Amino acid sequence: MKSILKRVDEALKRGRTPTLASVPDSFTPLVLADLARAFADREGTAALVYVARDGQRLGLVETGRAFAAPDIEVLQFPSWDCQPYDRVSPTSAITARRMTVLARLARTRSSEERPRIVLTTANAVAQRVPPRGRIAK
């Protein structure tokens, strides 16, 4: 695990964006937890974002994280529960969860009390959000 953290750290120092691939599914929560802790120790902040390919995979990562690293704060950013240009609006529960996560991220620059991971899906990342300044207000 130390070599992974070292490679990620070196890539960040060079201004590159590190990508971790081929991590076995069962190790994903452990890798995320170690990375979040390492960044929190080094930077004083940790806002790691994990993008899962679907909601099922996201649920498995969250379950594993809750078992392996209960000390890490997790913010789940869900995707809309309807299709774009649908005649149906998203449910108020999904809208509230999305806005809660965005507000928490917009208002806090660090997570000094404990490391933080944002868990989301590819669909949720592709969907537009309001500007940060508007959410912070």
Side-chain angles (χ1 to χ4, degrees):
M1 188 53 129
K2 295 285 185 190
S3 64
I4 292 173
L5 293 175
K6 186 176 178 182
R7 287 188 306 189
V8 168
D9 192 41
E10 288 173 4
L12 290 173
K13 285 179 182 175
R14 291 185 196 140
R16 296 183 180 157
T17 303
T19 301
L20 301 177
S22 302
V23 175
D25 290 342
S26 58
F27 285 123
T28 300
L30 297 172
V31 170
L32 287 173
D34 284 348
L35 286 171
R37 287 186 192 113
F39 290 138
D41 291 343
R42 190 184 89 190
E43 302 285 329
T45 62
L48 214 59
V49 178
Y50 175 76
V51 181
R53 65 177 144 200
D54 56 33
Q56 182 179 6
R57 172 86 35 136
L58 185 72
L60 293 173
V61 169
E62 170 52 20
T63 301
R65 193 276 328 155
F67 176 76
D71 59 313
I72 294 179
E73 177 185 12
V74 171
L75 302 173
Q76 281 195 10
F77 188 68
S79 62
W80 293 121
D81 57 347
C82 62
Q83 298 297 321
Y85 306 107
D86 220 357
R87 292 182 182 188
V88 179
S89 296
T91 62
S92 58
I94 295 290
T95 303
R97 283 179 53 203
R98 286 175 61 93
M99 289 307 296
T100 299
V101 170
L102 291 173
R104 180 118 168 103
L105 292 173
R107 291 188 179 141
T108 58
R109 293 198 175 270
S110 67
S111 60
E112 296 168 358
E113 61 277 357
R114 58 187 178 158
R116 177 184 300 159
I117 300 174
V118 178
L119 296 178
T120 189
T121 62
N123 286 342
V125 170
Q127 295 163 347
R128 295 179 55 112
V129 296
R132 182 176 187 243
R134 181 169 286 170
I135 292 171
K137 290 179 184 179

